[in-house]
Amino acid sequence: AGSSSTGQLATGLPCEVATILQDNCLQCHSDPPQFGAPMPLVTRAHLLASPNGVAPEATVGEAVVRRVGSTSEPMPPPPNMPLSAADQGVLAAYVQAGMPESADTCGGGGGGQGGGYELPCEPDVILKPAVAYEMPQSTKDEYVCFGVEAPSDIARHITAIAPMIDNSTIIHHLLLLQAPAPVSAQGEPCDFINVDWKLIYAWGPGTPAAVLPQEAGYPIGPSEPGHFVLQMHYSNIQGLAGQKDQTGIGLCTTDQLRPYDADIMAFGGTNFSAIPPNSQATLECAINVPQQLATWAPFTIFQAWPHMHQIGRQMDSFVNKAGGGQIPLANVPNYDFEYQVTYPVDVPLEVGDQVVTRCTWDNVTSSPVGFGEATNDEMCFNFVSYYPRVQSSLWHWLLPSYSATCNWQ
């Protein structure tokens, strides 16, 4: 993705400016733009252009300088870290000087912020919408859910997951969730995540494919629900007509079952009062791994998905080991609801360990915001993938979050 040219590029930009843009922006702001980006940032002419209503500045270059220094709407977007002060200074100095033309010829390549979709296997199950979805030209931002079904003829383990991007112009992000019952395949607007749906994989530009540990796989088959949901986040800021997409997910599966079933559990909390208007708030939720789970413990956590909604700003989740020490599960200092991805981890979890999840919100609205599924409500969840799966009629994958003790900080 991004600017994939190799060799030497003459962009009219000084190499130090071109390199900063290449390394941090061109994953999406390529020419043409991808993943919902409104404009390219490849050449001097692109920086001199007008943002055409996307930003208030007179030039794109001025808008870039503002956004890379912003804490409320930063670029590059989370989970990428902000530009260094030195890089911000280089861009600001160039724009303040009037963006003079340079004769530099700079090395091309990378596309910035990396991450590929290489897998050690060939996907044998493809989950994608039955028909292509057409994005309305007048809609700038949209969430659409498609129900898809995995084969259930024999018992299988999902061993790897990769996105299969169809239209990179408008696809912004993608979630793969497992549902307890079939979901409509028609493609329906859905600005929420049903708490009964288990998050399996979250993709955004630069996110690598997910490869499960050799010891475990997500089970599907006759005794497992093969009902999945693809939630697509589409962005059409440019107002392009006729944009269709049939992006899907490729699964590598095996009928040579692995030693352990993988599953999802949710840490965080649900029992919290409303966040007051025009205020910041931090909630800390903690739970100890109980002795009742000793039959299955110790567990290995191999993926984390921090999840809040629109006013979420930061999440920190970690394990306090019973024998001493602390292991991070997720640390997202610049959380943004528009840019959610899964993070690979490798964390052991044993009976007696304590899992702590800390969520920070900035409620800039004039109304209180409480817990709920809609995007104008809030959540504090760290959904983690783990093995071996807890097999008990008394267990529910949301139980750790419902049982946690939560306190405002």
Side-chain angles (χ1 to χ4, degrees), residues 118-136:
E118 295 82 7
L119 285 174
C121 53
E122 184 70 27
D124 57 294
V125 173
I126 308 300
L127 303 177
K128 67 178 183 179
V131 296
Y133 180 79
E134 184 167 356
M135 178 96 177

Side-chain angles (χ1 to χ4, degrees), residues 142-346:
E142 187 168 40
Y143 292 85
V144 185
C145 285
F146 303 86
V148 290
E149 296 292 307
S152 59
D153 52 338
I154 59 173
R156 308 171 191 252
H157 270 156
I158 298 171
T159 62
I161 305 169
M164 305 186 73
I165 305 303
D166 178 32
N167 186 347
S168 62
T169 299
I170 60 170
I171 189 71
H172 188 276
H173 274 73
L174 166 64
L175 304 182
L176 175 66
L177 307 111
Q178 191 171 29
V183 174
S184 172
Q186 297 306 308
E188 299 179 351
C190 56
D191 64 345
F192 66 94
I193 292 294
N194 189 317
V195 293
D196 289 329
W197 297 350
K198 296 180 182 180
L199 187 281
I200 301 296
Y201 177 69
W203 172 86
T207 307
V211 179
L212 276 72
Q214 289 291 329
E215 299 82 7
Y218 293 119
I220 55 174
S223 61
E224 300 288 340
H227 317 302
F228 289 89
V229 179
L230 293 171
Q231 188 196 61
M232 312 290 194
H233 179 187
Y234 291 121
S235 182
N236 189 18
I237 296 176
Q238 301 178 76
L240 302 175
Q243 291 294 312
K244 295 183 178 182
D245 179 69
Q246 202 173 4
T247 287
I249 287 284
L251 306 177
C252 293
T253 73
T254 179
D255 58 5
Q256 303 299 305
L257 300 182
R258 294 178 165 186
Y260 301 113
D261 287 342
D263 203 5
I264 313 296
M265 70 172 79
F267 294 112
T270 60
N271 185 23
F272 58 86
S273 56
I275 302 156
N278 301 305
S279 68
Q280 291 187 340
T282 297
L283 184 74
E284 183 175 284
C285 299
I287 185 169
N288 295 326
V289 179
Q291 184 63 36
Q292 290 91 325
L293 296 182
T295 301
W296 303 277
F299 305 104
T300 297
I301 298 174
F302 61 88
Q303 178 179 269
W305 182 49
H307 182 66
M308 296 183 285
H309 285 174
Q310 291 179 335
I311 65 171
R313 293 295 177 264
Q314 181 175 341
M315 181 182 288
D316 189 23
S317 184
F318 50 89
V319 177
N320 289 324
K321 299 298 292 180
Q326 188 178 95
I327 303 176
L329 267 179
N331 179 250
V332 187
N334 55 346
Y335 181 88
D336 190 324
F337 179 71
E338 300 297 325
Y339 299 92
Q340 300 185 56
V341 297
T342 47
Y343 298 87
V345 296
D346 183 9

Side-chain angles (χ1 to χ4, degrees), residues 74-85:
M75 282 289 169
N80 302 290
M81 296 305 295
L83 265 64
S84 67

